[in-house]
Amino acid sequence: MADKPSKGLADIIAASTALSDIDGRAGVLFYRGYDIHQLAGSATFEEVAYLLQRGHPPGPGELASYSAEIAAGRTLGSLVSACLPDVAGSQSPMEAMRSLVSLAGAGDPDKDSNAAAANTRKAARLTAQQPLLVAAYHAARNGGKVCPAEPGLGLAANFLLHMRGTPPSAREAEIFDTCLVLHADHTMNASTFAARVCAATLSDMHSAVVAAIGTLKGPLHGGANEQVMRTLTDIRSTAPDDPAGAVDREVRDRLARGEKIMGFGHRVYKTEDPRATHLRQMSGELAQTAGDDTFYRMSRRMEEVVLAEKGLYPNVDFFAATVYHYLGIPTDLFTPVFSMSRMAGWTAHVIEQHADNRLIRPDSEYIGERGLSWIPLDQR
Ligand code: ACO
């Protein structure tokens, strides 16, 4: 007989991991023992992905060969290429990511192996491929194709190049790279848990990532970044002369109606999310460069009101929204962009799960009726 469940599995330790750790009261996040504040701005996404997937920071030679794997893995494959126009024409971005990763799995030479070496290779390929899937989807829905990657650029800069057709400035590339670093892993979040549940059946890495993408899509998880931008845009359009004042009214009204404000609150953090600290700073910087800081000012006002009214802090999705906006990324691609960075964490968790596996199969509390008598259909 099971005990009373913890609703939403709050405070349940569901797995052991050496990948990341959060102290929600202190507001700190570590990847394999390294404080996120140390990594943001000084480690590249490729270094962080390597750290997560392969267990230690890469030396120069290791990073060079990992970067070569990333460059080689930046390919769509024949099945994705063939299906891309139909997928782009009929599926929303996160639906498309779910489909495209699944299709990409068919062409992976290691698809039938969960061996450590095969998983390590697949993790690099999935990490390399995801930015290309996002950019190729975007190009296909506009009837085009992505421009080729530049060998001298890293994963972050190449994504912005694919999206825009011209290389980003060095600072834009650096900022976007830091965004990817900040989103790379986050303990037992919903999508990572989904990936681990799938992997624990000894299913393969692509299947686990598809489960994770479907889970990230929801507005209570990764989908919140898109909703933040839509909220800011809606409020701005209703009060172009005083958007910050309108934020005040709209947030109070929504809270009075019992609605949630997207981009705020967190299951684990009871103080500022350390990732939000960096994203806020980068959003402010990009707003200055853009010469229009309206969305940034609105965001600052929104965090003041939500903190005053509900005692809630912004989570990673809140300032990520305006950072991506200022970088010129279309709003409906914000969550796919999240998937690009979380791919490093998801794949690392699959590697970790397969390395020391036991089926994940919790119990449930039965709350239905008991002892009923079945009446055959012709007597009902
Ligand atoms: N706006 C208003 N009220 C909120 C918010 C919010 N964003 N978040 C939590 N609350 C309130 C709830 O209404 C609830 O109040 P009550 O006790 O009076 O009913 C209380 O705070 C607890 O909220 P729960 O939803 O039970 O908290 P939980 O830990 O289950 O949820 C979650 C965490 C899902 C992140 C929640 O804060 C939320 O829905 N936030 C908005 C969506 C969002 O930004 N998601 C992204 C999270 S980060 C990520 O996944 C990458």
Side-chain angles (χ1 to χ4, degrees):
M1 180 70 68
D3 293 324
K4 272 274 178 214
S6 158
K7 196 168 181 191
L9 299 184
D11 302 322
I12 301 290
I13 295 173
S16 299
T17 181
L19 291 168
S20 57
D21 189 26
I22 301 170
D23 181 335
R25 302 222 163 265
V28 289
L29 166 63
F30 297 89
Y31 295 163
R32 288 200 185 272
Y34 297 94
D35 193 322
I36 194 75
H37 291 312
Q38 225 190 333
L39 298 174
S42 56
T44 63
F45 177 64
E46 284 88 334
E47 286 177 280
V48 166
Y50 185 104
L51 171 71
L52 291 168
Q53 293 165 351
R54 303 194 178 181
H56 60 272
E62 290 168 321
L63 184 61
S65 68
Y66 185 69
S67 299
E69 280 182 68
I70 295 289
R74 198 179 283 129
T75 157
L76 294 176
S78 56
L79 194 55
V80 169
S81 298
C83 298
L84 191 57
D86 283 343
V87 169
S90 57
Q91 292 200 292
S92 66
M94 283 301 278
E95 291 169 353
M97 291 307 113
R98 216 179 45 207
S99 303
L100 295 173
V101 168
S102 185
L103 292 169
D108 194 292
D110 290 310
K111 77 183 179 66
D112 294 322
S113 174
N114 291 337
N119 272 348
T120 305
R121 289 191 293 269
K122 282 191 281 192
R125 281 197 286 269
L126 279 157
T127 305
Q129 191 171 47
Q130 195 64 5
L132 188 61
L133 293 183
V134 178
Y137 166 83
H138 182 57
R141 69 181 175 175
N142 292 319
K145 284 191 170 10
V146 282
C147 63
E150 278 191 15
L153 297 179
L155 184 146
N158 263 315
F159 174 71
L160 293 176
L161 168 67
H162 286 324
M163 291 299 294
R164 301 165 168 186
T166 53
S169 73
R171 183 60 188 143
E172 283 176 319
E174 209 170 80
I175 285 178
F176 187 57
D177 192 55
T178 301
C179 291
L180 297 181
V181 167
L182 292 171
H183 287 79
D185 194 41
H186 209 230
T187 73
M188 215 38 52
N189 62 88
S191 55
T192 298
F193 185 53
R196 285 191 82 129
V197 169
C198 182
T201 68
L202 294 185
S203 188
D204 64 289
M205 187 177 279
H206 282 82
S207 298
V209 167
V210 170
I213 289 176
T215 310
L216 187 74
K217 174 173 176 283
L220 295 188
H221 189 16
N225 56 12
E226 176 179 341
Q227 298 310 319
V228 170
M229 201 63 226
R230 298 209 182 284
T231 304
L232 291 170
T233 307
D234 287 350
I235 296 175
R236 185 175 181 174
S237 70
T238 60
D241 297 333
D242 181 21
V247 162
D248 224 286
R249 286 189 298 280
E250 182 63 24
V251 169
R252 287 179 212 281
D253 286 353
R254 287 184 187 209
L255 290 175
R257 293 197 296 268
E259 291 175 22
K260 282 185 167 176
I261 310 298
M262 293 293 133
F264 289 89
H266 200 274
R267 176 63 66 77
V268 183
Y269 293 116
K270 302 302 167 207
T271 182
E272 166 120 335
D273 179 331
R275 303 165 298 175
T277 313
H278 295 275
L279 290 160
R280 181 192 293 108
Q281 184 274 322
M282 294 189 293
S283 173
E285 180 184 335
L286 288 169
Q288 289 299 319
T289 313
D292 177 1
D293 65 353
T294 309
F295 283 127
Y296 176 69
R297 282 187 297 106
M298 292 172 71
S299 304
R300 294 307 306 264
R301 187 70 197 123
M302 196 175 282
E303 62 169 334
E304 282 169 19
V305 181
V306 177
L307 184 61
E309 292 289 319
K310 295 290 290 186
L312 294 173
Y313 294 88
N315 57 49
V316 71
D317 284 322
F318 187 63
F319 282 104
T322 41
V323 170
Y324 296 160
H325 170 80
Y326 288 126
L327 286 172
I329 297 169
T331 302
D332 68 352
L333 295 186
F334 288 4
T335 314
V337 164
F338 192 155
S339 77
M340 286 163 41
S341 51
R342 191 52 61 83
M343 188 63 79
W346 291 332
T347 50
H349 277 272
V350 172
I351 291 170
E352 194 177 54
Q353 185 66 41
H354 281 163
D356 182 18
N357 190 59
R358 191 174 185 207
L359 180 76
I360 298 175
R361 201 294 188 195
D363 206 346
S364 51
E365 174 203 23
Y366 179 67
I367 57 166
E369 297 182 89
R370 292 183 193 276
L372 303 180
S373 298
W374 182 254
I375 301 167
L377 187 59
D378 61 358
Q379 294 168 34
R380 269 182 248 152

